[in-house]
Amino acid sequence: MLLALIVLGGVVLRVRWLGEPMRWDEAATFQKYALGSIGHIVETYDRPNNQIFYSLLTHFSLGIFGHAVWVVRLVAFLAGIAIVPVSYLVARRLFDPVAGLWAA
């Protein structure tokens, strides 16, 4: 139950930031990589800002949901939510449930 509350808190905090204006690094990744073709995304690694897997997932999200700021952030939003229970599971397996809750 406590883990569910921690995850819910993470969701609430992340939802708060979905509508914020896009900053330079997000805009650059969006324009230079995510809007490009799949071939361009995979073949272009001229800056560390092109995290290829992220750019591909964002590219597909844009194709499905359209061009909106929340869509550009959707992949990071979902990964940020998923990291909370995954952290719990890893720490619980390596140590104990209390460590898992601290990790979450």
Side-chain angles (χ1 to χ4, degrees):
M1 184 62 146
L2 186 55
L3 178 61
L5 288 173
I6 293 170
V7 172
L8 180 63
V11 170
V12 169
L13 288 173
R14 289 184 177 283
V15 165
R16 156 64 178 94
W17 297 102
L18 276 179
E20 288 291 310
M22 211 180 277
R23 288 163 181 79
W24 186 87
D25 60 334
E26 290 176 304
T29 299
F30 170 68
Q31 290 181 329
K32 185 162 173 93
Y33 305 112
L35 287 178
S37 68
I38 294 171
H40 172 74
I41 294 169
V42 173
E43 294 173 358
T44 307
Y45 193 74
D46 56 349
R47 293 187 176 148
N49 208 38
N50 183 20
Q51 300 162 8
I52 296 170
F53 186 58
Y54 169 81
S55 295
L56 285 171
L57 291 175
T58 302
H59 175 84
F60 294 127
S61 295
L62 291 166
I64 294 169
F65 299 112
H67 295 187
V69 174
W70 72 268
V71 178
V72 173
R73 294 180 175 154
L74 183 61
V75 174
F77 175 79
L78 294 175
I81 292 169
I83 197 74
V84 177
V86 169
S87 297
Y88 170 80
L89 293 172
V90 169
R92 185 184 75 180
R93 182 174 175 106
L94 292 174
F95 302 105
D96 59 45
V98 174
L101 288 173
W102 279 105

